[in-house]
Amino acid sequence: MKILVLLVVVFSCICSSIKATVSYDDKAIIINGRRRILMSGSIHYPRSTPQMWPDLIKKAKDGGLDVIQTYVFWNGHEPSPGKFNFEGRYDLVKFIKLVQAAGLYVHLRIGPYVCAEWNFGGFPVWLKYVPGMSFRTDNEPFKIAMQRFTEKIVNLMKSEKLFEPQGGPIIMSQIENEYGPIEWEIGAPGKAYSKWAAQMADGLKTGVPWIMCKQEDAPDPMIDTCNGFYCEKFTPNKPYKPKMFTELWTGWFTEFGGPIPTRPVEDIAYAVARFIQNNGSFVNYYMYHGGTNFGRTAGGLFITTSYDYDAPIDEYGLLNEPKWGHLRDLHTAIKLIEPALVSAYPTVTYPGKNQEIHVFKPKSGACAAFLSNYDPHFSATMKFGNAQYQLPPWSISILHNCKDEVFNTAKVKSPTTQKKMTPVGTFKWQSYNEEAPSSEGSDTLAMAGLYEQLNVTRDTSDYLWYLAEVTISPNEHFLKNGQFPVLTVMSAGHALHVFINNQLAGTVWGSLKNPKLTFSQSVKLRAGVNKISLLSVSVGLANVGTHYETYNVGVLGPITLKGLNEGTRDLTKQQWSYKVGLKGETLSLDTLDGSSSVEWLQGSLVAQKQPLTWYKATFNAPEGNDPLALDMNGMGKGQIWINGEGLGRYWPANKAHGNCDKCSYTGIYNENKCNRYCGDPSQRWYHVPRSWLRPTGNFLVVFEEWGGNPDWITLVKRTN
Ligand code: GAL
C-alpha cells in the first residue's frame, strides 16, 4: 500500500512540476513537485514594528527556517465595521512581501478566530453587538461576518499575487483555530459550523492547502494538525494527509501576577526530533519571535504587555541564545537528511528500555537515523551499525548517512547570552491629577442598577466609572463610635479602585484563572451626601472559551453597606451614573496637542504616590541602535504612550506568585515547570521601539492609576 502511495506521488510530482503548485500527500507538503520537510516559525506582524520586520525575518532565515507563520488580526484590520486598516503594524501585504523577498514561505492563519493572547481572540468588539450574534457556531450572523472577512483577506492576497501558484510565498492557510474542543463541547451546531467553515474556505480557491489545527474531524480537504509541547503521537485523520505540528510552544506567555515561563532548548529540540523521527514533516515554532502586545492589544485576561514567550528571537529582536543557535544547528542537521526523510517511512527498533532507533532508508541510497534515549535520568551508550554513540538523558542523536552524528538534542554548542539592561536616561516629569468625575457631568449617564462594562464602553477604554451618592444620617451610631460601615463590592473583573469622597479607599484585582473580585472594607463616610466612585478597569478581553463573548466585565454587584443603624443597605439597584474612560483620555493627554489643555505641576510639586496621575516628559533618543525599554519599577499600574503610540499596560506592582523551582531540561515539560522571577514584578521592562522615536523632543506620557514614584522610571538600553 505504502509503495503504491509513493508511486502515485512520484507520478503526480512529475505532472505537477510543470506549474507552480502546492499539494500534499501522507508524507509531506509538496511544493512544485517536491516534498519538503519544512521548519517554520511564528512572527505576528503587529507585535513588532515594520522597521523591525526585515531584521526579524533575516534572523529567522539565518536560523534555518523555511516558513514564517502568522495569524491575521481581524480587530486590528477592521476596527469599526467596514473601515479597514492595513497600515503600519497592520500592513500585512508588506510583511508578506518582506518574507517573500527573503526567500521564505508563509503560512497564513486567517482564523479569523485566533486565540493568540490577543484582545477578544482577534474578533472586533463590535462583532459581539451585531444582532443575533453567537461566536463560532452554526449562527448566520457570525458565518456571514466570518466569511466576509476571510474573503476580504483571501482577495487581498490574490490581488497582490501572494499565493504560491501565483508566484507568491503563501503555501498554506488556516481556517478557524483549535475548534476541536469547542465542537466537542457544543455538539451538533459545532459540527455543522466546522463543516461549513471547511467548505467556505475551500470554496475560496486559494490554490494552496488549508489546515485546521487541533480539530480531529477536520473535513477533507482540510489537513488536521497538532498543537502542543510534544506531538509525536499525533496522527492526521486520513492516511493521505501529512503529519504537521503547527504550534510547538517554545515557552509560554506571561500573565500579570505570574512568573516568567521558560522552556529549555534541549527539550524543544527533543520535541522536534521526536516528531520528525515519527514521520512528521512540518514543525512551526510558536513563537519564533513573540514580541510586544502594544497598546491595548493584549487579551485573554491579565496578559502582560511583553509577549517574549522565551522565543528564539527575544521581544527586542535580539537572539535568545543558546535557543536560537541550537535550533539553527538542528535545522542544518534536518536539511542534511531531508532527502532520506521525504522518500521513506521510518523503521523502528527498540534496543533497550527507554531506547528507540528510527531509520529512514529509501531506495535512493540516502540513509538517516535517529537514536533516542528517553530516560530522564541516565545517559545511554547505543550501538548502531559499526559504531557506538553516547546519548545524554532525554536526548536524540541525528545520524547523517546512518553514521555521522550531526546533532544531539542535548549537546548544546551555542553560547548563552547575558541579557543586560543598562540605564541611559531619566526624566524630568510634570504631573496632572484627575479626580473621580462628578455624577452630574455632561458625559455621564445615569441609570438604575449596575450595567456590564463592555456593554457600556464597547472597549473604547479600559476604564469605566460607576458613580453613586450615599446619604448618611447624622444619627448613625458609627459617626460617634468610629466603627465605620463595611462597603462590599462584587465585580466580574478585572481590577477595581474604590474612591470614597475622592480618596482612594482601596484596590482589588483578579487573575487570569479567576478574574472576579470582591472589595470589602470599612470606609470613612460622613454625615450627609457621600460620593462613591468605583473605577472598574479591564485588563484585556477574554480570548478563549466556549462563547467567551458572553463573559462579563465590570461591577455587577451586589454592592452593600453593612453596619448602619438600619443594618445593611443594598446599593445594587439604586441610581448609578456611568462615565466611559478617563478625563485624560477624553482630552488626549497622550498627545502634545491634547496635553496643552490642562495645567501641569512641575519641580517639587510633581505628584508622588498619588492615584489618577498623568505624568509627562520629553526626552531625546539615546545614541546608537540598541533596543530600548522603560524600567517601570516603582510604579503601580497604568498605561504608557510615546509620541501618541500606545506602549501598553504596565503593572510592576503585580508581583509574580508561583513556583520557581530548579529547572531541568529532562522529563515532560509543561508551562509551570521552568518559571523564573518569582517575587519580582511579572513585567518590569517595557519595550520602546526605536522607530517610534525622533532624535529629539520625544513626548512620553504615563497614566498611573493608584500611585507610584515616577523618579524611578528609567530609560534603559537592552544588549546581549
Ligand atoms: C494555543 C492557541 C494559540 C495560543 C497558544 C498559547 O492553543 O492556538 O493561539 O493562544 O495556545 O500561547
Side-chain angles (χ1 to χ4, degrees):
M1 173 62 191
K2 283 185 174 170
I3 292 172
L4 187 71
V5 173
L6 282 181
L7 279 176
V8 171
V9 168
V10 170
F11 181 70
S12 63
C13 294
I14 293 165
C15 301
S16 60
S17 62
I18 302 159
K19 62 176 180 14
T21 57
V22 186
S23 60
Y24 60 84
D25 66 7
D26 66 321
K27 281 256 31 146
I29 291 289
I30 302 166
I31 306 174
N32 296 330
R34 228 182 108 202
R35 284 202 190 120
R36 295 297 316 274
I37 303 294
L38 293 169
M39 304 307 300
S40 170
S42 293
I43 301 179
H44 295 157
Y45 51 96
R47 285 179 155 141
S48 53
T49 57
Q51 291 76 5
M52 291 170 73
W53 293 343
D55 185 55
L56 295 175
I57 294 165
K58 178 174 187 307
K59 283 173 173 153
K61 186 178 185 177
D62 294 347
L65 295 193
D66 310 293
V67 184
I68 302 297
Q69 187 204 64
T70 182
Y71 282 125
V72 176
F73 297 87
W74 187 357
N75 51 14
H77 291 302
E78 198 180 356
S80 52
K83 296 233 161 60
F84 290 96
N85 172 22
F86 289 95
E87 306 278 302
R89 283 185 295 122
Y90 292 97
D91 195 341
L92 174 60
V93 168
K94 178 172 184 175
F95 180 75
I96 295 179
K97 287 188 173 170
L98 284 170
V99 177
Q100 179 178 29
L104 300 181
Y105 296 122
V106 170
H107 179 203
L108 193 67
R109 306 173 89 189
I110 300 178
Y113 167 70
V114 298
C115 196
E117 290 69 72
W118 193 259
N119 199 41
F120 225 32
F123 289 150
V125 171
W126 55 257
L127 188 68
K128 169 174 171 175
Y129 298 97
V130 170
M133 179 59 57
S134 186
F135 285 180
R136 303 178 74 203
T137 187
D138 193 14
N139 167 274
E140 277 314 306
F142 180 76
K143 290 191 297 185
I144 289 168
M146 170 166 165
Q147 176 158 2
R148 205 177 38 85
F149 182 72
T150 308
E151 270 172 11
K152 170 95 189 167
I153 296 300
V154 166
N155 290 340
L156 177 63
M157 298 299 111
K158 280 186 184 167
S159 70
E160 297 283 341
K161 303 212 179 323
L162 293 177
F163 287 108
E164 212 276 347
Q166 302 176 289
I170 304 173
I171 53 161
M172 272 194 303
S173 292
Q174 173 180 311
I175 197 74
E176 251 296 340
N177 187 75
E178 298 197 329
Y179 191 65
I182 305 280
E183 184 185 297
W184 189 83
E185 212 178 310
I186 68 175
K191 269 205 169 322
Y193 162 68
S194 109
K195 207 171 144 207
W196 168 84
Q199 276 172 4
M200 185 272 285
D202 190 40
L204 297 178
K205 302 287 170 232
T206 60
V208 301
W210 288 90
I211 66 115
M212 291 180 101
C213 64
K214 211 169 178 181
Q215 167 120 30
E216 278 170 25
D217 64 354
D220 280 9
M222 307 286 123
I223 309 170
D224 59 315
T225 66
C226 184
N227 295 345
F229 290 113
Y230 309 93
C231 275
E232 62 273 4
K233 299 211 172 88
F234 167 82
T235 42
N237 63 17
K238 293 284 168 49
Y240 43 81
K241 295 180 184 176
K243 171 165 166 169
M244 304 208 284
F245 198 162
T246 35
E247 285 183 29
L248 188 162
W249 300 321
T250 51
W252 199 243
F253 55 82
T254 305
E255 58 178 281
F256 284 121
I260 298 183
T262 65
R263 184 176 184 192
V265 69
E266 294 91 332
D267 185 59
I268 298 175
Y270 173 87
V272 174
R274 272 195 88 155
F275 186 72
I276 302 281
Q277 71 175 2
N278 280 297
N279 211 35
S281 59
F282 177 94
V283 175
N284 174 72
Y285 299 104
Y286 187 102
M287 300 296 295
Y288 195 76
H289 169 256
T292 310
N293 296 313
F294 294 115
R296 300 167 56 245
T297 59
L301 319 169
F302 297 91
I303 300 297
T304 54
T305 293
S306 168
Y307 198 62
D308 180 80
Y309 222 90
D310 195 26
I313 306 177
D314 76 12
E315 175 175 10
Y316 298 91
L318 302 178
L319 301 183
N320 178 15
E321 294 284 37
K323 197 169 264 192
W324 181 86
H326 191 52
L327 295 177
R328 174 205 51 205
D329 296 346
L330 166 65
H331 306 150
T332 308
I334 291 173
K335 285 271 128 40
L336 264 181
I337 61 167
E338 187 180 2
L341 295 176
V342 293
S343 342
Y345 297 94
T347 46
V348 188
T349 51
Y350 304 88
K353 191 168 168 257
N354 285 326
Q355 295 179 2
E356 274 177 26
I357 298 178
H358 295 237
V359 178
F360 294 77
K361 199 170 180 350
K363 291 223 172 64
S364 64
C367 187
F370 292 77
L371 312 185
S372 313
N373 174 23
Y374 301 147
D375 196 298
H377 305 294
F378 299 106
S379 42
T381 307
M382 286 173 75
K383 267 203 182 139
F384 179 67
N386 299 323
Q388 280 200 341
Y389 300 85
Q390 291 298 327
L391 277 91
W394 199 257
S395 83
I396 298 177
S397 286
I398 298 179
L399 307 188
H400 181 224
N401 292 330
C402 286
K403 196 165 87 259
D404 310 320
E405 180 184 300
V406 285
F407 187 80
N408 174 279
T409 56
K411 296 179 188 167
V412 179
K413 301 203 175 103
S414 295
T416 304
T417 37
Q418 291 304 326
K419 301 169 184 179
K420 269 198 290 210
M421 295 289 191
T422 316
V424 289
T426 51
F427 304 95
K428 228 168 131 195
W429 295 104
Q430 300 186 18
S431 71
Y432 166 76
N433 269 90
E434 68 169 83
E435 289 211 321
S438 138
S439 50
E440 265 103 58
S442 59
D443 47 359
T444 58
L445 185 70
M447 297 187 281
L450 297 167
Y451 282 80
E452 199 271 335
Q453 180 159 341
L454 194 55
N455 207 356
V456 184
T457 64
R458 301 288 160 110
D459 203 35
T460 52
S461 166
D462 278 2
Y463 304 99
L464 179 63
W465 285 102
Y466 292 73
L467 311 164
E469 290 182 349
V470 171
T471 307
I472 296 296
S473 135
N475 300 329
E476 286 290 347
H477 298 323
F478 79 81
L479 292 172
K480 284 169 208 116
N481 67 20
Q483 286 186 352
F484 287 101
V486 173
L487 175 71
T488 301
V489 181
M490 313 267 276
S491 164
H494 310 141
L496 182 72
H497 305 289
V498 177
F499 294 83
I500 304 291
N501 298 322
N502 289 341
Q503 294 301 309
L504 182 62
T507 291
V508 275
W509 64 90
S511 66
L512 172 54
K513 274 207 190 76
N514 185 13
K516 292 198 176 123
L517 54 93
T518 304
F519 172 91
S520 198
Q521 207 176 292
S522 58
V523 288
K524 280 197 180 153
L525 298 177
R526 56 190 180 216
V529 175
N530 291 266
K531 233 176 110 180
I532 299 188
S533 318
L534 309 175
L535 182 60
S536 178
V537 192
S538 60
V539 192
L541 302 179
N543 68 325
V544 62
T546 305
H547 290 301
Y548 65 80
E549 76 273 24
T550 61
Y551 296 3
N552 291 327
V553 189
V555 182
L556 291 172
I559 302 182
T560 56
L561 200 54
K562 190 175 163 191
L564 302 175
N565 293 356
E566 71 205 71
T568 300
R569 196 185 294 177
D570 191 350
L571 311 181
T572 314
K573 299 213 167 82
Q574 75 165 68
Q575 174 167 304
W576 287 88
S577 295
Y578 293 82
K579 175 167 176 349
V580 175
L582 305 163
K583 181 174 171 195
E585 287 180 303
T586 315
L587 296 173
S588 301
L589 293 189
D590 58 311
T591 65
L592 210 49
D593 265 5
S595 77
S596 60
S597 60
V598 298
E599 290 290 325
W600 296 77
L601 300 177
Q602 308 190 23
S604 60
L605 296 176
V606 167
Q608 296 269 349
K609 299 221 155 54
Q610 272 199 56
L612 306 183
T613 306
W614 292 83
Y615 294 100
K616 70 167 186 176
T618 50
F619 68 102
N620 297 340
E623 303 268 289
N625 292 320
D626 292 320
L628 302 171
L630 285 173
D631 180 350
M632 296 300 285
N633 219 2
M635 295 300 281
K637 176 181 186 306
Q639 289 179 46
I640 314 169
W641 297 263
I642 287 189
N643 296 330
E645 301 269 7
L647 224 61
R649 302 184 180 101
Y650 72 85
W651 198 353
N654 204 342
K655 301 281 188 310
H657 300 285
N659 185 339
C660 286
D661 284 351
K662 230 176 121 234
C663 165
S664 158
Y665 80 85
T666 67
I668 299 282
Y669 176 83
N670 67 53
E671 68 277 22
N672 299 315
K673 197 171 144 184
C674 288
N675 287 332
R676 295 208 193 142
Y677 305 109
C678 288
D680 289 345
S682 295
Q683 187 178 351
R684 173 172 170 184
W685 290 284
Y686 295 79
H687 181 203
V688 177
R690 275 270 178 192
S691 61
W692 289 3
L693 300 185
R694 305 183 278 262
T696 57
N698 295 290
F699 188 58
L700 168 62
V701 174
V702 170
F703 173 69
E704 170 60 41
E705 292 170 21
W706 73 28
N709 185 346
D711 294 335
W712 284 27
I713 302 178
T714 333
L715 187 65
V716 300
K717 71 173 185 192
R718 172 76 167 74
T719 49
N720 270 348

